[in-house]
Short mmCIF file of all heavy atoms in Angstrom, two decimals:
data_model
loop_
_atom_site.label_atom_id
_atom_site.label_comp_id
_atom_site.label_asym_id
_atom_site.label_seq_id
_atom_site.Cartn_x
_atom_site.Cartn_y
_atom_site.Cartn_z
N LEU A 28 5.02 -7.13 -7.38
CA LEU A 28 4.78 -6.46 -6.11
C LEU A 28 4.11 -7.40 -5.11
O LEU A 28 3.42 -8.35 -5.49
CB LEU A 28 3.89 -5.23 -6.32
CG LEU A 28 4.48 -4.09 -7.14
CD1 LEU A 28 3.39 -3.09 -7.50
CD2 LEU A 28 5.62 -3.40 -6.38
N VAL A 29 4.30 -7.10 -3.85
CA VAL A 29 3.61 -7.82 -2.78
C VAL A 29 2.74 -6.81 -2.04
O VAL A 29 3.24 -5.83 -1.50
CB VAL A 29 4.61 -8.46 -1.79
CG1 VAL A 29 3.86 -9.14 -0.66
CG2 VAL A 29 5.51 -9.44 -2.52
N GLU A 35 2.50 -1.81 10.48
CA GLU A 35 3.04 -0.77 11.36
C GLU A 35 4.03 0.10 10.59
O GLU A 35 4.10 1.31 10.82
CB GLU A 35 3.73 -1.43 12.57
CG GLU A 35 2.78 -2.02 13.59
CD GLU A 35 3.51 -2.50 14.83
OE1 GLU A 35 4.71 -2.20 14.97
OE2 GLU A 35 2.87 -3.17 15.66
N LEU A 48 4.77 17.25 5.86
CA LEU A 48 3.85 18.22 5.26
C LEU A 48 3.71 19.46 6.13
O LEU A 48 3.74 20.59 5.62
CB LEU A 48 2.48 17.57 5.05
CG LEU A 48 1.35 18.50 4.60
CD1 LEU A 48 1.60 19.00 3.18
CD2 LEU A 48 0.00 17.80 4.70
N ARG A 51 6.64 21.59 5.68
CA ARG A 51 6.62 22.22 4.36
C ARG A 51 5.66 23.42 4.33
O ARG A 51 5.97 24.48 3.79
CB ARG A 51 6.20 21.19 3.30
CG ARG A 51 5.97 21.75 1.90
CD ARG A 51 5.41 20.68 0.98
NE ARG A 51 6.41 19.66 0.67
CZ ARG A 51 7.19 19.68 -0.41
NH1 ARG A 51 7.06 20.65 -1.30
NH2 ARG A 51 8.06 18.73 -0.62
N MET A 63 -0.56 23.85 -5.09
CA MET A 63 -2.00 23.64 -4.97
C MET A 63 -2.78 24.80 -5.61
O MET A 63 -3.86 24.59 -6.18
CB MET A 63 -2.40 23.48 -3.50
CG MET A 63 -1.79 22.25 -2.82
SD MET A 63 -2.26 20.65 -3.56
CE MET A 63 -0.89 20.33 -4.69
N LYS A 89 -5.32 17.80 3.63
CA LYS A 89 -6.27 18.26 4.64
C LYS A 89 -6.53 17.15 5.67
O LYS A 89 -6.60 17.42 6.87
CB LYS A 89 -7.59 18.68 3.96
CG LYS A 89 -7.54 20.05 3.31
CD LYS A 89 -8.88 20.41 2.69
CE LYS A 89 -9.99 20.56 3.73
NZ LYS A 89 -9.80 21.72 4.61
N ARG A 99 -5.70 4.40 6.54
CA ARG A 99 -4.84 3.26 6.20
C ARG A 99 -5.66 2.37 5.28
O ARG A 99 -6.72 1.87 5.67
CB ARG A 99 -4.44 2.49 7.46
CG ARG A 99 -3.21 3.03 8.20
CD ARG A 99 -3.29 4.47 8.65
NE ARG A 99 -2.14 4.82 9.51
CZ ARG A 99 -1.80 6.06 9.82
NH1 ARG A 99 -2.50 7.10 9.37
NH2 ARG A 99 -0.76 6.29 10.58
N ILE A 110 3.91 9.42 -0.11
CA ILE A 110 4.68 10.26 -1.04
C ILE A 110 3.87 11.49 -1.45
O ILE A 110 4.38 12.61 -1.51
CB ILE A 110 5.09 9.45 -2.28
CG1 ILE A 110 6.05 8.32 -1.88
CG2 ILE A 110 5.74 10.35 -3.33
CD1 ILE A 110 7.32 8.77 -1.20
N LEU A 115 3.49 16.90 -1.40
CA LEU A 115 2.33 17.69 -1.83
C LEU A 115 2.18 17.65 -3.35
O LEU A 115 2.21 18.66 -4.06
CB LEU A 115 2.44 19.14 -1.33
CG LEU A 115 1.11 19.90 -1.18
CD1 LEU A 115 0.10 19.10 -0.37
CD2 LEU A 115 1.33 21.26 -0.53
N ILE A 116 2.03 16.42 -3.85
CA ILE A 116 1.89 16.18 -5.28
C ILE A 116 0.84 15.08 -5.47
O ILE A 116 0.84 14.09 -4.73
CB ILE A 116 3.24 15.77 -5.91
CG1 ILE A 116 3.11 15.52 -7.41
CG2 ILE A 116 3.83 14.54 -5.21
CD1 ILE A 116 4.45 15.27 -8.10
N PRO A 117 -0.08 15.22 -6.43
CA PRO A 117 -1.03 14.14 -6.68
C PRO A 117 -0.32 12.88 -7.17
O PRO A 117 0.50 12.94 -8.09
CB PRO A 117 -1.94 14.71 -7.78
CG PRO A 117 -1.81 16.20 -7.64
CD PRO A 117 -0.39 16.43 -7.23
N VAL A 118 -0.63 11.76 -6.52
CA VAL A 118 -0.08 10.46 -6.91
C VAL A 118 -1.23 9.47 -6.98
O VAL A 118 -2.05 9.40 -6.07
CB VAL A 118 0.97 9.95 -5.91
CG1 VAL A 118 1.58 8.63 -6.41
CG2 VAL A 118 2.07 10.98 -5.67
N ASP A 124 -3.04 -5.00 -14.42
CA ASP A 124 -3.77 -6.15 -14.95
C ASP A 124 -5.26 -5.87 -15.15
O ASP A 124 -5.96 -6.66 -15.80
CB ASP A 124 -3.61 -7.35 -14.01
CG ASP A 124 -2.17 -7.84 -13.95
OD1 ASP A 124 -1.45 -7.71 -14.97
OD2 ASP A 124 -1.75 -8.34 -12.88
N GLY A 157 -16.35 18.25 -21.08
CA GLY A 157 -15.19 19.13 -20.90
C GLY A 157 -14.35 18.80 -19.69
O GLY A 157 -13.24 19.33 -19.54
N GLN A 176 -10.87 8.22 -8.07
CA GLN A 176 -10.58 7.03 -8.86
C GLN A 176 -11.75 6.06 -8.78
O GLN A 176 -12.41 5.94 -7.74
CB GLN A 176 -9.31 6.35 -8.32
CG GLN A 176 -8.89 5.11 -9.11
CD GLN A 176 -7.74 4.39 -8.43
OE1 GLN A 176 -7.62 4.41 -7.22
NE2 GLN A 176 -6.90 3.75 -9.21
N LEU A 211 9.46 7.07 -3.98
CA LEU A 211 8.45 6.02 -4.11
C LEU A 211 9.09 4.74 -4.64
O LEU A 211 8.79 3.64 -4.16
CB LEU A 211 7.32 6.48 -5.04
CG LEU A 211 6.21 5.46 -5.31
CD1 LEU A 211 5.60 4.93 -4.00
CD2 LEU A 211 5.12 6.07 -6.19
N GLU A 216 10.73 -0.95 -3.76
CA GLU A 216 11.78 -1.97 -3.76
C GLU A 216 12.04 -2.50 -2.35
O GLU A 216 12.38 -3.67 -2.16
CB GLU A 216 13.06 -1.40 -4.37
CG GLU A 216 12.90 -1.12 -5.87
CD GLU A 216 14.08 -0.39 -6.47
OE1 GLU A 216 14.85 0.25 -5.70
OE2 GLU A 216 14.24 -0.43 -7.71
N LYS A 217 11.84 -1.64 -1.35
CA LYS A 217 12.03 -2.06 0.04
C LYS A 217 10.92 -3.00 0.50
O LYS A 217 11.19 -4.02 1.14
CB LYS A 217 12.07 -0.83 0.94
CG LYS A 217 12.15 -1.15 2.43
CD LYS A 217 12.12 0.12 3.28
CE LYS A 217 12.13 -0.21 4.78
NZ LYS A 217 12.08 1.03 5.60
N ARG A 227 9.86 5.94 -15.70
CA ARG A 227 9.94 6.63 -16.99
C ARG A 227 10.31 8.10 -16.77
O ARG A 227 9.94 8.69 -15.76
CB ARG A 227 8.60 6.55 -17.72
CG ARG A 227 8.11 5.11 -17.88
CD ARG A 227 6.84 5.08 -18.70
NE ARG A 227 6.10 3.85 -18.46
CZ ARG A 227 4.89 3.60 -18.93
NH1 ARG A 227 4.27 4.53 -19.67
NH2 ARG A 227 4.28 2.46 -18.67
N ALA A 232 4.43 19.13 -20.76
CA ALA A 232 3.52 19.61 -21.80
C ALA A 232 4.16 20.70 -22.64
O ALA A 232 3.61 21.11 -23.65
CB ALA A 232 2.25 20.15 -21.16
#
Side-chain angles (χ1 to χ4, degrees):
L28 294 168
V29 178
E35 287 187 10
L48 172 68
R51 173 186 290 265
M63 297 298 95
K89 282 181 65 67
R99 275 57 172 165
I110 295 301
L115 204 51
I116 181 174
V118 184
D124 295 329
Q176 182 187 31
L211 178 54
E216 292 172 341
K217 175 183 177 181
R227 305 185 201 173

